[in-house]
Amino acid sequence: MLFRSMGIESKYQYATNIYTKKGCPWMAMRDGGCIFCGTNYPHISYRKPEHIWEEIIYLQDTFNIEFVWDVSDDIGGNVPWLKKLVEKKPSNSPFFRFYLSAKNANRETIELLKKLNCIDIFVGFESYNDDILSQMNKQATTEDNRRTVDLLTEFEIPTTASFILGNYGETEDSIIETYKFAKEIRSLPIIRSIHFSIFKPVPGAKAFDILCDNSKNDFKSLDIFNNHQLQKEWVERFCYVSYESLLEFQKKFSEIDPCIVEYGPIDYRCHL
């Protein structure tokens, strides 16, 4: 049901997920890592392609798996490794879904993903304003975002796009720029769906530390966090647009695609 609700073709009745790596290629770099990411693991390790295919073949033989979602970060961060993964691919390989950073979306990478039977790419574009992307430490630029869309369109790889509203330094103008880009690409045949969410400075993320350093609330002494409290204080302190305005913008974005990401009143439970 999860895969179908995300737009994956219903003809793939047997699906599962795997990890092909641990860590994020960008997070592992010096001063790398997006400020909103709560996966605060500063290293990267890749599984051997042979071991990955052994696991997949076992899943196919035992459970008739037809579709595999690689839930680990950016598939395009290590091209030599990706080439080996393609070289070792068996003839009866299943179909795949991957996460891809726009920074690493080039012709070579997209061609390799096409050869891997990739039928869905999830790209976190986040914004279409270079100042905002820089403040997020996103690594990618609006030029990268545009190139990614063009290449995925050329190679006809279905895509799920994601955007975040309420980034550090967000203004109404930057939100409108993002809105125009999202609305433009939604009309493309390759775009399965577009997700929108309001920035969440979750524990473990650099943004959480930034918030704690500037807040009167002693968040780091807690082990239960209210999602909306974190969101609202973040927006009030670091955005040039109100939280109420962001909610209105979110409704406007939902008109582009009803597949909007909004998790509701969640308490995060963790021990720091």
Side-chain angles (χ1 to χ4, degrees), residues 21-29 33 39 41-44 73-74:
K21 68 188 77 64
K22 181 179 181 180
C24 168
W26 173 223
M27 178 73 76
M29 294 183 182
T39 309
Y41 180 75
H43 308 287
I44 183 72
D73 280 297
D74 187 15

Side-chain angles (χ1 to χ4, degrees), residues 29-208:
M29 294 183 182
R30 183 180 179 85
D31 299 323
C34 306
I35 67 169
F36 58 80
C37 182
T39 309
N40 195 10
Y41 180 75
H43 308 287
I44 183 72
S45 57
Y46 292 85
R47 296 177 61 191
K48 292 182 178 180
E50 296 88 344
H51 294 170
I52 294 171
W53 289 119
E54 286 176 5
E55 178 183 1
I56 291 173
I57 291 172
Y58 168 79
L59 292 170
Q60 286 181 301
D61 292 344
T62 308
F63 303 105
N64 298 317
I65 292 300
E66 303 167 289
F67 178 86
V68 175
W69 179 4
D70 178 10
V71 294
S72 52
D73 280 297
D74 187 15
I75 189 66
N78 186 334
V79 174
W81 171 86
L82 185 57
K83 285 181 177 179
K84 291 181 180 178
L85 188 65
V86 173
E87 291 171 0
K88 299 291 183 178
K89 183 176 78 76
S91 58
N92 62 334
S93 168
F95 296 95
F96 286 92
R97 181 184 211 240
F98 296 106
Y99 290 99
L100 177 66
S101 166
K103 186 66 177 180
N104 294 322
N106 52 56
R107 181 169 296 276
E108 181 179 26
T109 300
I110 302 301
E111 286 180 344
L112 290 169
L113 294 179
K114 188 73 172 182
K115 292 178 181 178
L116 272 178
N117 292 344
C118 176
I119 62 164
D120 189 79
I121 285 286
F122 186 103
V123 183
F125 294 110
E126 320 309 3
S127 174
Y128 201 68
N129 178 283
D130 282 317
D131 289 337
I132 297 300
L133 290 170
S134 177
Q135 291 282 10
M136 297 170 72
N137 204 35
K138 180 62 185 175
Q139 190 185 33
T141 64
T142 55
E143 182 180 351
D144 295 323
N145 289 349
R146 176 66 64 182
R147 183 190 65 250
T148 300
V149 171
D150 291 343
L151 285 170
L152 291 171
T153 299
E154 178 183 343
F155 285 89
E156 299 181 327
I157 298 180
T159 303
T160 300
S162 179
F163 296 91
I164 298 175
L165 310 179
N167 301 296
Y168 195 107
E170 193 85 85
T171 66
E172 288 194 8
D173 288 342
S174 65
I175 293 175
I176 291 171
E177 288 178 298
T178 300
Y179 173 82
K180 289 180 178 178
F181 178 69
K183 186 175 182 180
E184 174 193 344
I185 67 173
R186 186 63 184 96
S187 63
L188 298 175
I190 65 159
I191 300 297
R192 287 188 185 276
S193 62
I194 299 183
H195 296 180
F196 309 100
S197 61
I198 294 179
F199 194 101
K200 298 177 178 67
V202 298
K206 295 177 183 178
F208 179 76

Side-chain angles (χ1 to χ4, degrees), residues 197-203 208 211 219 222 224-235 243 247 250 261-269:
S197 61
I198 294 179
F199 194 101
K200 298 177 178 67
V202 298
F208 179 76
L211 178 60
F219 289 121
L222 304 176
I224 299 178
F225 303 86
N226 180 274
N227 176 37
H228 288 299
Q229 181 186 6
L230 292 173
Q231 281 184 316
K232 190 170 183 179
E233 184 163 348
W234 171 270
V235 172
Y243 184 70
L247 293 176
Q250 193 179 40
V261 177
E262 179 55 32
Y263 299 106
I266 295 177
D267 288 338
Y268 290 101
R269 297 175 181 269

